[in-house]
Structure formats: structure tokens, C-alpha cells
Amino acid sequence: MRTREEVIKYCQSLKEVYEDYPFHDSNWTVMRCQGNKKMFACIYERGEHIWVNVKVTPEWIDFWRNAWPSVVPAYHMNKNHWNSLILDGIIPEEDIKRMILESYDLVKPKGKKQKTININKK
């Protein structure tokens, strides 16, 4: 996976996702969840490569940064919760997809909370 189009196509394969351009800059594509409008991937060109910012749990953030030199603290994002993936051919496609999916899972709308009824009320 090396192109913006490939990343967008993969993101759109996930449930209830849409493409957005909130910065009025065609270089920045944001992929969002429909239910809550939260972003899970920011896709942009920087230097000569496509970069993808993905959300990561704090316990996994260093794992991914240490696994691949093309996973770095996120450009223009909170470095404690986001990584940038540089699509230069170093990160295997399976790992790119896994990180995008994990980001999606972190922000997608959760199921409706069930209200509990206390039948012992007096």
C-alpha cells in the first residue's frame, strides 16, 4: 500500500466510513466514522511519500514505532495517541491495514448503553 487511493479504498471497506476534506486543502484527506464523525485516519503527502496518521493506544504506540522506522510520532497530532505511517514500502501492507483497523476500532461508535432498571426501589 503506497498511494492515497489505496488507503482510501481500504478505509472505505470498513463499516460506515466516509471521506472528508475539512481543511480546504486537497492534500489532506480525513477518514471518519459516520456515527460520531470522529477521524481515524489522516492521509496526506509529505516529502515524496503518502503519510497516514492513525490513532494508537498508549501501550502500543512505542511497539509500532520500534517495529518499523517508517512509523513515527504523528505529524500535527498528539504524539501520545497518534502515529504517522510513512508509506515508503518499509511497513508490510498487513501491518498498515492492522494499524488503520485498530485506529478505526478506537474511534468507531460504541453500542448503545443499556439502561439498568432497579426493580428493588421502594
Side-chain angles (χ1 to χ4, degrees):
M1 187 176 303
R2 288 189 144 197
T3 69
R4 178 188 308 268
E5 293 76 20
E6 289 173 312
V7 177
I8 291 170
K9 183 177 179 182
Y10 175 70
C11 290
Q12 288 177 332
S13 75
L14 304 173
K15 189 176 178 180
E16 297 181 351
V17 165
Y18 69 98
E19 184 177 344
D20 192 13
Y21 294 86
F23 308 122
H24 307 289
D25 178 351
S26 61
N27 186 45
W28 286 83
T29 305
V30 175
M31 301 305 297
R32 297 183 185 273
C33 295
Q34 288 179 358
N36 59 15
K37 300 182 182 178
K38 289 186 178 182
M39 68 177 163
F40 65 93
C42 295
I43 308 158
Y44 54 97
E45 186 172 344
R46 184 166 186 234
E48 297 180 13
H49 300 290
I50 295 297
W51 290 45
V52 183
N53 289 353
V54 293
K55 189 162 188 162
V56 185
T57 60
E59 53 271 5
W60 279 93
I61 207 148
D62 287 328
F63 171 84
W64 289 116
R65 291 177 189 173
N66 292 324
W68 305 108
S70 295
V71 177
V72 297
Y75 179 68
H76 279 309
M77 304 288 281
N78 182 322
K79 309 281 188 253
N80 295 319
H81 298 280
W82 292 82
N83 277 338
S84 287
L85 316 179
I86 305 167
L87 304 187
D88 57 4
I90 292 176
I91 309 167
E93 185 166 335
E94 304 83 49
D95 284 341
I96 294 169
K97 288 180 176 180
R98 180 178 174 185
M99 287 183 269
I100 291 171
L101 180 59
E102 288 174 358
S103 182
Y104 168 79
D105 284 340
L106 285 171
V107 304
K108 73 181 179 184
K110 308 304 181 240
K112 292 183 180 180
K113 293 183 180 179
Q114 297 291 325
K115 289 186 178 181
T116 57
I117 301 171
N118 186 349
I119 58 173
N120 295 323
K121 275 188 171 180
K122 291 187 177 184

